[in-house]
Amino acid sequence: MTQFNVDDIKNVLHSMLDTLTGQSRETLTNLARDTGLYPDATDRAALETDRQLALCMGERDRLLIGEIHAALARVEDGEYGICRECGEE
């Protein structure tokens, strides 16, 4: 890969990382802020469903953040864009 392509990929990865990190912080803030004091059982159930969905999405984002860090490490090592199985670009 040319240096121009690698720099573009690195910029995209950093942008994705920033976006995911911001979303994760926002999700944690929202989960901590909502006390969940709803007298109605239906409202409590809806809140719990929303929280569960947010936690699942957060876990997915956490895994993706790990993959982005691994890709950035491969960029720094000069291995990004090289097949791990055959060694070709």
Side-chain angles (χ1 to χ4, degrees):
M1 294 188 119
T2 66
Q3 186 61 35
F4 180 73
N5 290 345
V6 172
D7 288 341
D8 285 345
I9 291 169
K10 195 173 178 179
N11 289 337
V12 168
L13 289 171
H14 278 293
S15 176
M16 290 172 64
L17 188 59
D18 291 343
T19 299
L20 288 170
T21 303
Q23 288 174 350
S24 294
R25 283 189 189 121
E26 184 179 332
T27 298
L28 289 174
T29 300
N30 289 340
L31 286 173
R33 183 181 311 136
D34 195 353
T35 59
L37 299 175
Y38 295 101
D40 184 44
T42 305
D43 290 340
R44 285 193 309 268
L47 173 67
E48 192 58 36
T49 301
D50 290 345
R51 283 179 176 233
Q52 185 64 34
L53 179 61
L55 290 173
C56 288
M57 291 172 55
E59 177 64 15
R60 183 206 62 200
D61 290 349
R62 186 189 65 78
L63 293 172
L64 187 54
I65 286 170
E67 291 177 14
I68 292 171
H69 281 296
L72 286 169
R74 288 193 306 274
V75 168
E76 292 301 320
D77 294 340
E79 299 174 358
Y80 191 86
I82 299 172
C83 179
R84 289 191 230 174
E85 292 181 20
C86 68
E88 293 187 29
E89 279 194 21

